Amino acid sequence: QVQLVESGGGLVQTGGSLRLSCTASGGENMHYPMGWFRRAPGKEREFVAATAWNSEAIAYADSAKGRFTISRNNAKRTLWLQMDALKPEDTAVYYCAAKLGGLRVGKYVNSYDYDYWGQGTQVTVSS
């Protein structure tokens, strides 16, 4: 069992930055793939970024490339998402996710691959 708690969301103006954090508790270590997803109002949940357990493989959605950076520190049991040059269309609830089942090699971009989810943190970008 793993519990994930996101933090760092808030209200920011267009062009601003936010750094989201996801802290994991429970389990023996954080040697599993993790990812960030988001759900905007009236839309389906979508992939944002993902990282392998050792950060050797990373993936971004096209909308996040060049603006967002995913990183992790397994010793601190923390996953981050640095978001720069934010746009109003980035407004959403952001969720971190962990994949403990099955293979733990590589990165995963589909939500159905993940077993554990945080409660989400709201990001609002004003125009």
Side-chain angles (χ1 to χ4, degrees):
Q1 286 281 349
V2 171
Q3 294 78 43
L4 303 174
V5 178
E6 303 96 335
S7 62
L11 174 64
V12 64
Q13 291 184 335
T14 296
S17 298
L18 282 174
R19 190 190 198 200
L20 305 184
S21 299
C22 173
T23 301
S25 60
E28 295 182 355
N29 54 49
M30 211 169 87
H31 291 184
Y32 39 77
M34 298 188 74
W36 287 99
F37 292 77
R38 68 186 183 186
R39 187 193 302 271
K43 295 188 177 181
E44 298 290 318
R45 181 170 54 191
E46 65 175 4
F47 167 73
V48 176
T51 174
W53 74 270
N54 56 5
S55 302
E56 289 188 353
I58 286 177
Y60 294 99
D62 287 343
S63 60
K65 288 179 182 177
R67 300 189 300 125
F68 294 3
T69 303
I70 188 171
S71 60
R72 64 191 297 164
N73 184 316
N74 291 343
K76 294 183 177 180
R77 301 179 68 87
T78 303
L79 176 76
W80 294 281
L81 183 68
Q82 176 68 40
M83 304 188 296
D84 299 316
L86 283 162
K87 306 174 183 180
E89 50 264 44
D90 295 317
T91 294
V93 178
Y94 284 71
Y95 301 89
C96 70
K99 180 187 188 305
L100 275 72
L103 291 175
R104 298 186 184 183
V105 178
K107 62 199 185 291
Y108 296 82
V109 303
N110 294 305
S111 61
Y112 56 71
D113 285 316
Y114 291 89
D115 313 291
Y116 294 90
W117 295 81
Q119 83 290 346
T121 185
Q122 176 70 48
V123 171
T124 303
V125 184
S126 63
S127 57

